């Protein structure tokens, strides 16, 4: 049976962490596994000596964008420690693997790529899109720093065509910050034209199925599931052409340089003003998502386990 300790008791974080480490070690020892797969990073070593250790690395964002994080953030050090002790490291994209090898000096033969899947589904019927029925550009996820949302705002704000014809709906990521609202005001973007929505997967699925275009301007992603989710609901995708994103979207997205707001604006305008191009991207998207599934992710991971046990 699983044991859960309440995490809302003040001043007990250290105690809970210590108890969790002790219980985890005892539980793993009792299981006596052949493979010990760490899906995130920890300084605490719970792996039995007899087991092969596998680690999943999702991205190298903390290393490439260190100035985006607090100096108190120790993820870089903890990750490096976890990578060094692993027998094999799974990366979620070839781009992440290249970054891992370059930054931490990991031998290539110690690494493999296992891509993630996409499984966004609508359970309760279509959600009504926000925005009063006006065509909209969809953005999903957090918006801070390397996510590059401020440049998307500028691309939109400097396009009379986009401002007149479309709104922007942001799903998730919390309410707009003071700096985002200030930027929107300086670009003369009306509050009715930029909306933030939160909610369930059903709402996200409804928005993906209703948006005129999905835009993913991120400067760096370890993989990037949201474009696949948009494709699965027939939404044309406009995506940054950096980091792992070309691996994910292939030829099923309109690509742009994420550091160039003019290029970003042109890519969005091209898709929303050209029905033939949008239809082409939708059709390519339906084909593209067939290459990514959680079942394939599981089988690829299992094959790595088998190979490790044979070595």
């Amino acid at each position: 049976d699983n044991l859960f300790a309440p995490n809302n008791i003040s001043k007990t974080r250290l105690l809970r962490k210590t108890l969790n480490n002790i219980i985890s070690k005892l539980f793993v020892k009792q299981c006596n596994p052949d493979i010990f797969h760490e899906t995130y990073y920890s300084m605490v070593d719970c792996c039995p000596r007899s087991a092969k250790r596998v680690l999943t690395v999702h991205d190298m964002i903390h290393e490439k964008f260190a100035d985006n994080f607090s100096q108190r953030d120790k993820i870089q050090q903890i990750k490096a420690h976890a990578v060094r002790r692993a027998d094999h490291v799974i990366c979620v994209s070839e781009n992440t693997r290249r970054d891992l090898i370059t930054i931490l000096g990991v031998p290539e033969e110690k690494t493999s790529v296992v891509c993630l899947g996409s499984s966004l589904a609508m359970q309760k019927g279509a959600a009504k899109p926000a925005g009063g029925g006006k065509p909209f550009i969809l953005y999903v996820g957090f918006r801070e720093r390397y996510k590059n949302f401020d440049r998307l705002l500028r691309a939109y704000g400097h396009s009379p065509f986009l401002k007149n014809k479309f709104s922007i709906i942001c799903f998730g990521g919390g309410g707009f910050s003071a700096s985002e609202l200030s930027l929107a005001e300086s670009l003369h973007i009306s509050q009715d034209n930029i909306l933030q929505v939160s909610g369930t997967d059903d709402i996200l699925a409804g928005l993906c199925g209703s948006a005129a275009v999905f835009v993913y301007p991120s400067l760096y992603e370890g993989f990037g599931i949201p474009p696949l989710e948009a494709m699965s609901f027939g939404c044309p995708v406009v995506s940054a052409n950096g980091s792992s994103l070309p691996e994910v979207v292939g030829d099923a997205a309109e690509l742009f340089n994420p550091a160039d707001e003019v290029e970003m604006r042109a890519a969005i305008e091209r898709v929303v003003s050209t029905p033939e191009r949008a239809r082409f991207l939708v059709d390519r998207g339906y084909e593209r998502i067939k290459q990514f599934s959680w079942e394939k992710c599981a089988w690829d991971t299992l094959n790595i386990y088998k190979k490790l046990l044979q070595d």
Side-chain angles (χ1 to χ4, degrees):
D1 293 335
N2 294 320
L3 298 176
F4 296 94
N7 59 9
N8 58 350
I9 302 176
S10 63
K11 300 181 181 180
T12 63
R13 183 174 180 273
L14 181 59
L15 174 61
R16 288 185 285 107
K17 185 176 180 181
T18 302
L19 288 174
N20 182 66
N21 291 338
I22 294 171
I23 293 171
S24 295
K25 286 185 176 183
L26 291 173
F27 178 76
V28 172
K29 184 177 180 181
Q30 184 181 20
C31 292
N32 191 29
D34 297 312
I35 296 286
F36 183 80
H37 190 157
E38 296 181 275
T39 55
Y40 206 62
Y41 322 116
S42 174
M43 291 297 290
V44 178
D45 188 358
C46 295
C47 181
R49 292 183 180 180
S50 59
K52 293 284 189 178
R53 188 196 312 270
V54 177
L55 174 71
T56 295
V57 171
H58 291 272
D59 58 61
M60 299 297 287
I61 290 173
H62 282 78
E63 291 76 10
K64 294 180 74 71
F65 294 88
D67 58 344
N68 285 190
F69 300 93
S70 166
Q71 292 184 350
R72 291 177 294 177
D73 191 322
K74 302 300 181 183
I75 288 294
Q76 286 190 53
Q77 298 93 313
I78 298 171
K79 182 193 296 183
H81 184 77
V83 167
R84 282 195 299 269
R85 72 188 181 208
D87 294 297
H88 199 83
V89 181
I90 292 175
C91 300
V92 298
S93 66
E94 183 60 40
N95 185 78
T96 293
R97 175 159 77 162
R98 289 196 303 269
D99 286 344
L100 177 75
I101 292 170
T102 300
I103 295 171
L104 294 184
V106 180
E108 185 173 351
E109 61 272 15
K110 187 180 172 178
T111 66
S112 296
V113 174
V114 175
C115 293
L116 303 178
S118 172
S119 55
L120 181 65
M122 185 180 292
Q123 302 296 329
K124 303 173 185 177
K128 293 181 180 180
K134 186 176 183 179
F136 64 92
I137 297 162
L138 179 61
Y139 176 94
V140 172
F142 293 107
R143 302 182 299 275
E144 295 85 356
R145 303 180 296 269
Y146 67 90
K147 291 295 188 177
N148 207 28
F149 178 73
D150 59 341
R151 194 168 275 121
L152 171 59
L153 266 187
R154 291 189 180 93
Y156 173 81
H158 290 148
S159 170
F161 171 71
L162 294 178
K163 281 202 293 187
N164 288 334
K165 298 290 185 180
F166 301 88
S167 61
I168 294 180
I169 294 182
C170 300
F171 180 85
F176 294 121
S177 66
S179 62
E180 288 171 333
L181 293 174
S182 176
L183 176 58
E185 183 179 2
S186 72
L187 293 166
H188 306 291
I189 300 172
S190 96
Q191 292 186 5
D192 293 337
N193 268 13
I194 178 168
L195 306 169
Q196 191 277 326
V197 177
S198 299
T200 64
D201 281 355
D202 288 339
I203 294 174
L204 174 57
L207 292 171
C208 286
S210 303
V213 66
F214 171 87
V215 182
Y216 209 49
S218 181
L219 296 172
Y220 185 96
E221 293 295 326
F223 182 74
I225 293 176
L228 295 179
E229 294 177 332
M231 290 176 188
S232 70
F233 281 87
C235 184
V237 171
V238 177
S239 171
N241 65 2
S243 65
S244 65
L245 294 176
E247 290 180 61
V248 176
V249 301
D251 64 350
E254 192 82 13
L255 298 177
F256 60 84
N257 177 357
D260 187 336
E261 75 174 52
V262 174
E263 192 174 319
M264 187 190 308
R265 182 180 74 215
I268 299 169
E269 289 177 342
R270 194 156 50 244
V271 173
V272 297
S273 64
T274 314
E276 296 82 6
R277 182 59 181 167
R279 185 70 248 173
F280 172 82
L281 293 177
V282 169
D283 291 342
R284 294 304 305 153
Y286 284 135
E287 291 300 313
R288 187 68 183 171
I289 59 175
K290 294 176 183 178
Q291 300 183 35
F292 302 95
S293 71
W294 292 116
E295 183 179 12
K296 183 178 185 300
C297 177
W299 279 111
D300 289 347
T301 303
L302 179 61
N303 287 333
I304 291 171
Y305 293 167
K306 290 178 178 178
K307 188 176 184 301
L308 271 176
L309 294 176
Q310 291 170 356
D311 291 344

